[in-house]
């Protein structure tokens, strides 16, 4: 974060200073919302301010005395702590600490003034963000959203990480209710705003896909006169945001049809990674991805479209995409044994991403095993969406479907429907699923020489990463046992 004085924080947030007025000249080099950052070392956090957020189930105001006792000199609060009135601490009292967080973040962004892209969409936005960051890092210093810091708290915290060394900011924006993206876009004020796609995700907060489209379209409301609006030409419901594009420069991308930027001649290698031709206004180039999944071609085309707006060359795009590293829990490929692959896609799931994962799995040779946990926030049609995934997996000739949870029972039912040979099994407990999986793997590996591909998918609430880790551990233990036997 750039250095701000207490007086600047007061001006930005319209705060009232409770405490010695001379504290207004104090310098703040970091603003945090997690009280655990503070410890007993007073000098280490001399320039750190604490902002006390309040939510439905928590109120960080109660930690204010604790952080002050640990050396914090500046706190941003909704009410002053009378017990600290005589302490050597600046209490900045604001109406709403969440809004104050956003105001400070927007001010930091304004002062640094990096070239900025805001990215939203129902799926793939994290991958697009990482791809864009990899490309733009060839042109300058890039700040990108970490993890899933993409909501009305995460976006401001991301902006606070900006400093004067940053040339670019790549900001991911998610939402689970109307108005959230409008709010965060107002803070970010992107030079380029992107909608990657529209799909069935977070339907509980939006009602239906039309609601999702309207919510994602809010990202275009924060574009300035010289801003560029980018969206996936293949996406339905674009009429829900077209009115926001009047007077703005608009470009499209596609992985199916011709657009301002599009792909063609897609092929997959033995690991499922794509090779394709990228078509742009600068010309064409051949792109090779190092992350699996044909659907990542669409993400790469979106990333290329963004990078072109910031002056990247085709060589920058080619080399940037080639070095882009997989995001943890998103199609991470593990070679567990000479004949066994695990694709860990456990980070999150919705209808379209689950279908894309199933399609990737079906591209691998040998026995295919899809392990699916519940997909969350799909609204009243959740069971039908799970059934649709099961039916889709059956159509792809995936051999085994193991499901875990409550809603995923419908995926198993869809997989087994009208097919006496289908091998779908549902489990309510993780241990039971793993026991069945390991029994299946033992049988396959002992009795045949065929390859095996396993893919794990589910929403974050399903904690399918624990299933993926259990599989990895099982194979590691098997290798250790084998090594010991060989030594003996």
């Amino acid at each position: 974060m750039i250095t701000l004085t207490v007086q600047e924080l007061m001006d930005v947030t319209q705060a009232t200073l409770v405490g010695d007025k001379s504290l207004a000249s104090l310098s703040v080099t970091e603003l945090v919302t997690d009280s655990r950052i503070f410890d007993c070392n007073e000098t280490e956090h001399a320039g750190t301010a604490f902002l006390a957020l309040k939510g439905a189930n928590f109120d960080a105001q109660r930690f204010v005395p604790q952080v002050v006792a640990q050396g914090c000199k500046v706190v941003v609060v909704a009410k002053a702590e009378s017990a600290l009135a005589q302490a050597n601490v600046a209490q900045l009292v604001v109406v709403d600490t969440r809004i104050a967080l956003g105001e400070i973040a927007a001010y930091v962004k304004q002062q640094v003034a990096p070239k900025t892209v805001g990215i939203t969409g129902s799926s793939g936005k994290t991958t697009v963000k990482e791809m864009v960051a990899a490309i733009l890092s060839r042109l300058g210093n890039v700040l990108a959203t970490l993890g899933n810091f993409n909501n009305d708290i995460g976006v401001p915290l991301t902006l606070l990480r900006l400093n004067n060394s940053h040339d670019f900011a790549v900001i991911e924006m998610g939402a689970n209710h109307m108005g959230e993206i409008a709010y965060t876009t107002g803070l970010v004020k992107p030079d380029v705003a992107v909608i990657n796609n529209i799909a069935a995700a977070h339907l509980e907060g939006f009602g239906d896909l039309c609601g999702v489209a309207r919510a994602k379209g809010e990202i275009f409301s924060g574009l300035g006169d010289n801003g560029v609006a980018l969206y996936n030409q293949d996406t339905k419901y674009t009429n829900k945001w077209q009115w926001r594009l009047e007077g703005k420069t608009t470009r499209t991308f596609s992985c199916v049809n011709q657009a301002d930027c599009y792909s063609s001649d897609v092929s997959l290698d033995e690991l499922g990674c794509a090779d394709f031709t990228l078509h742009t206004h600068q010309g064409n180039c051949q792109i090779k991805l190092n992350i699996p999944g044909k659907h990542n071609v669409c993400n790469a085309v979106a990333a290329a479209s963004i990078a072109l707006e910031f002056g990247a060359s085709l060589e920058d795009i080619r080399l940037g995409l080639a070095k882009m590293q997989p995001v943890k829990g998103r199609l991470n490929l593990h070679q567990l044994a000479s004949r066994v692959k695990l694709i860990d896609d456990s980070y999150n799931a919705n209808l379209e991403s689950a279908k894309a994962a199933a399609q990737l799995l079906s591209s691998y040779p040998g026995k295919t095993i899809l392990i699916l946990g519940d997909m969350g926030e799909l609204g009243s049609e959740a069971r039908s969406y799970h059934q649709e995934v099961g039916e889709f997996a059956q159509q792809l000739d995936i051999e085994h479907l193991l499901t875990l949870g409550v809603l995923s029972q419908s995926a198993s039912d869809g997989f087994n429907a009208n097919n006496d040979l289908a091998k779908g099994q549902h489990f309510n407990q993780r241990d039971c699923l793993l026991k069945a999986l390991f029994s299946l793997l033992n049988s396959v590996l002992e009795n045949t020489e065929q390859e095996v591909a396993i893919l794990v998918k589910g929403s974050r609430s399903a904690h399918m990463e624990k299933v993926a880790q259990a599989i990895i551990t099982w194979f590691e233990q098997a290798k250790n046992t084998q090594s010991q036997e060989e030594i003996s």
Side-chain angles (χ1 to χ4, degrees):
M1 182 176 128
I2 61 174
T3 300
L4 301 174
T5 64
V6 168
Q7 184 63 57
E8 284 181 285
L9 294 179
M10 291 168 58
D11 294 341
V12 169
T13 61
Q14 298 82 50
T16 301
L17 173 60
V18 174
D20 187 342
K21 303 304 179 186
S22 66
L23 296 173
S25 61
L26 283 177
S27 293
V28 174
T29 56
E30 184 180 21
L31 180 69
V32 301
T33 60
D34 188 344
S35 64
R36 292 171 295 182
I37 289 174
F38 295 91
D39 56 27
C40 294
N41 187 338
E42 296 184 12
T43 58
E44 184 179 349
H45 298 295
T48 302
F50 175 65
L51 185 142
L53 289 171
K54 182 177 181 179
N57 302 310
F58 71 93
D59 186 353
Q61 177 92 26
R62 65 192 182 94
F63 296 110
V64 170
Q66 174 185 320
V67 301
V68 170
Q70 292 174 323
C72 180
K73 300 296 184 185
V74 182
V75 294
V76 183
V77 292
K79 60 181 179 181
E81 293 286 333
S82 57
L84 301 176
Q86 303 304 315
N88 186 30
V89 58
Q91 297 188 69
L92 305 188
V93 183
V94 298
V95 174
D96 187 325
T97 53
R98 183 185 70 89
I99 298 300
L101 176 67
E103 291 170 336
I104 297 168
Y107 180 74
V108 168
K109 195 269 177 178
Q110 182 184 24
Q111 298 307 302
V112 177
K115 295 178 181 178
T116 306
V117 56
I119 304 168
T120 193
S122 296
S123 61
K125 52 186 177 290
T126 298
T127 301
V128 173
K129 171 201 68 180
E130 294 296 329
M131 288 177 166
V132 173
I135 298 169
L136 294 183
S137 65
R138 297 181 52 79
L139 307 180
N141 192 12
V142 181
L143 174 105
T145 301
L146 292 176
N148 63 333
F149 275 51
N150 62 13
N151 62 6
D152 59 344
I153 301 299
V155 169
L157 290 176
T158 298
L159 294 177
L160 287 176
R161 292 170 43 226
L162 283 166
N163 60 55
N164 290 319
S165 73
H166 289 118
D167 303 295
F168 302 98
V170 184
I171 310 298
E172 178 183 333
M173 298 182 189
N176 57 21
H177 61 270
M178 300 295 291
E180 188 170 6
I181 290 177
Y183 172 71
T184 52
T185 303
L187 306 180
V188 173
K189 296 191 181 302
D191 301 294
V192 178
V194 184
I195 296 179
N196 196 40
N197 49 44
I198 301 297
H202 300 296
L203 292 181
E204 290 180 357
F206 302 124
D208 56 20
L209 285 170
C210 290
V212 173
R214 283 192 291 269
K216 300 302 182 185
E218 293 171 1
I219 197 170
F220 297 137
S221 62
L223 279 173
D225 294 337
N226 297 320
V228 176
L230 271 172
Y231 66 89
N232 190 332
Q233 180 177 278
D234 310 319
T235 296
K236 297 179 181 178
Y237 309 104
T238 58
N239 62 313
K240 301 303 177 184
W241 64 66
Q242 290 295 336
W243 62 275
R244 295 183 185 272
L245 302 180
E246 292 183 12
K248 294 182 173 65
T249 301
T250 304
R251 306 196 204 287
T252 60
F253 56 90
S254 172
C255 58
V256 178
N257 303 300
Q258 290 190 8
D260 294 317
C261 187
Y262 65 99
S263 60
S264 69
D265 306 314
V266 179
S267 61
L268 300 179
D269 64 16
E270 66 279 2
L271 296 178
C273 300
D275 190 304
F276 66 95
T277 301
L278 177 69
H279 302 263
T280 77
H281 65 273
Q282 287 190 17
N284 305 337
C285 73
Q286 202 66 19
I287 300 293
K288 179 73 174 73
L289 299 180
N290 67 352
I291 55 175
K294 188 175 181 180
H295 63 286
N296 275 319
V297 172
C298 298
N299 294 329
V301 172
S305 301
I306 296 166
L308 288 169
E309 296 300 328
F310 291 119
S313 67
L314 293 180
E315 186 69 356
D316 290 325
I317 293 170
R318 185 181 71 81
L319 294 176
L321 290 174
K323 78 169 188 178
M324 182 260 180
Q325 297 300 309
V327 180
K328 184 177 181 180
R330 295 181 187 270
L331 295 176
N332 298 158
L333 185 61
H334 301 271
Q335 192 71 44
L336 301 178
S338 60
R339 293 186 285 128
V340 184
K341 295 182 181 70
L342 169 68
I343 304 96
D344 177 6
D345 198 25
S346 60
Y347 182 80
N348 214 339
N350 58 41
L351 176 62
E352 294 306 318
S353 67
K355 283 185 172 182
Q359 193 161 42
L360 168 63
L361 178 63
S362 70
S363 69
Y364 290 110
K367 187 177 290 293
T368 49
I369 305 170
L370 175 60
I371 304 176
L372 179 68
D374 285 356
M375 300 182 292
E377 299 184 66
L378 292 180
S380 60
E381 298 299 314
R383 286 199 174 275
S384 65
Y385 287 133
H386 282 80
Q387 180 177 335
E388 187 174 336
V389 172
E391 293 170 348
F392 185 74
Q394 184 200 89
Q395 293 166 9
L396 293 171
D397 293 327
I398 289 174
E399 192 164 351
H400 293 270
L401 174 64
L402 308 182
T403 56
L404 177 66
V406 177
L407 296 171
S408 59
Q409 172 74 66
S410 297
S412 183
D413 293 342
F415 186 79
N416 290 328
N418 304 317
N419 188 343
D420 295 335
L421 300 178
K423 299 174 182 177
Q425 295 176 271
H426 179 72
F427 303 89
N428 294 317
Q429 296 182 340
R430 186 185 307 120
D431 289 347
C432 295
L433 182 148
L434 290 170
K435 182 178 180 181
L437 172 66
F438 297 150
S439 175
L440 171 62
L441 289 173
N442 274 325
S443 175
V444 172
L445 297 176
E446 288 177 4
N447 299 321
T448 70
E449 293 297 320
Q450 68 180 153
E451 295 186 29
V452 179
I454 309 165
L455 191 144
V456 180
K457 184 72 173 171
S459 284
R460 292 177 63 205
S461 57
H463 300 293
M464 298 304 288
E465 73 279 0
K466 295 181 179 180
V467 173
Q469 185 56 53
I471 297 170
I472 293 171
T473 301
W474 188 77
F475 273 90
E476 288 176 345
Q477 291 173 344
K479 287 180 182 178
N480 291 336
T481 301
Q482 183 180 11
S483 297
Q484 290 298 322
E485 290 176 351
E486 291 173 352
I487 291 172
S488 300

